[in-house]
């Protein structure tokens, strides 16, 4: 059986009020180190491998750097990247035409916010990645990625905005068994 232990990255500086997908904002090194400590402790406590896969964005990569310093094997994989919000990415939500946001909410599955990635495409990427997991794997990723994994059933043909869950907290671990 496949088992994925995936943590949401630490809180980043400058994200408040912004549409944040692939915009690469810095993370406080202390927060990255704190999450790396928690991951290392969880691995020790649960007999997990000393290997982690991280998103290429700095908020995840920095956690991997700490783990690598402690002898862990770290892989950077673009399949763990957050939803691509296209032209919206990095902008303040208040600067995005609200009619576009409503259009996205009305068709969360097929609408590409800012011309970026649809939830349908994100979910296919997430389930493809998680479906390839063999044994136990650890990862550091993003809220949208984790929500797609835990909330959207494999093979779904649609998903309503009202059913989208609250994102996991920064540093929270989601365990998925495939």
């Amino acid at each position: 059986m496949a088992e994925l232990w995936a943590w949401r990255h630490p809180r980043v500086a400058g994200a408040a009020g912004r549409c944040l997908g692939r915009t690469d904002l810095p993370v406080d090194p202390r927060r990255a180190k704190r999450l790396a400590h928690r991951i290392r402790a969880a691995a020790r406590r649960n007999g997990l491998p000393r290997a982690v896969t991280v998103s290429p964005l700095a908020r995840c990569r920095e956690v991997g750097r700490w783990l690598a310093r402690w002898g862990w094997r770290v892989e950077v994989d673009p399949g763990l990247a957050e939803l691509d919000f296209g032209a919206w990415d990095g902008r303040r939500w208040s600067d995005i035409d609200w009619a576009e946001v409503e259009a996205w909410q009305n068709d969360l599955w097929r609408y590409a916010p800012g011309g970026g990635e649809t939830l349908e495409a994100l979910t296919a990427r997430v389930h493809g990645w998680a479906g390839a997991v063999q044994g136990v794997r650890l990862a550091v990723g993003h809220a949208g990625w984790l929500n797609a994994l835990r909330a959207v059933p494999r093979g779904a043909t649609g998903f309503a905005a009202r059913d989208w869950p609250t994102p996991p907290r920064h540093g929270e671990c989601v365990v998925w068994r495939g």
Side-chain angles (χ1 to χ4, degrees):
M1 174 181 261
E3 188 172 275
L4 174 63
W5 292 59
W7 283 263
R8 183 179 180 195
H9 62 79
R11 185 178 310 277
V12 296
R18 294 172 74 175
C19 175
L20 190 60
R22 299 207 179 165
T23 298
D24 212 3
L25 295 177
V27 64
D28 182 323
R30 293 170 299 188
R31 289 182 180 190
K33 185 177 184 180
R34 200 173 307 131
L35 179 54
H37 273 301
R38 284 203 307 271
I39 293 169
R40 187 169 65 167
R44 203 176 296 137
R45 217 178 16 258
N46 296 288
L48 304 174
R50 289 174 41 97
V52 65
T53 307
V54 299
S55 157
L57 297 173
R59 51 197 187 260
C60 300
R61 224 179 39 250
E62 292 302 316
V63 176
R65 282 190 189 162
W66 279 106
L67 291 166
R69 287 179 187 160
W70 301 328
W72 281 51
R73 187 171 48 83
V74 177
E75 175 188 354
V76 177
D77 189 329
L80 284 168
E82 181 59 288
L83 178 76
D84 180 357
F85 283 99
W88 293 8
D89 214 304
R91 293 176 57 198
R92 295 203 152 293
W93 283 106
S94 59
D95 294 338
I96 298 170
D97 181 0
W98 196 249
E100 289 184 54
V101 175
E102 286 178 331
W104 180 40
Q105 290 176 337
N106 290 333
D107 190 8
L108 189 68
W109 189 247
R110 288 188 185 85
Y111 189 88
E117 186 176 26
T118 64
L119 178 59
E120 180 179 25
L122 172 66
T123 300
R125 179 164 53 88
V126 167
H127 284 294
W129 196 94
V133 169
Q134 296 179 2
V136 178
R137 193 158 180 191
L138 283 63
V140 180
H142 305 273
W145 198 99
L146 291 166
N147 272 353
L149 177 67
R150 67 185 184 161
V152 183
R154 187 180 302 271
T157 58
F159 199 86
R162 71 178 172 278
D163 297 326
W164 193 247
T166 302
R169 294 178 320 278
H170 292 93
E172 182 178 340
C173 180
V174 172
V175 178
W176 174 85
R177 292 174 178 90

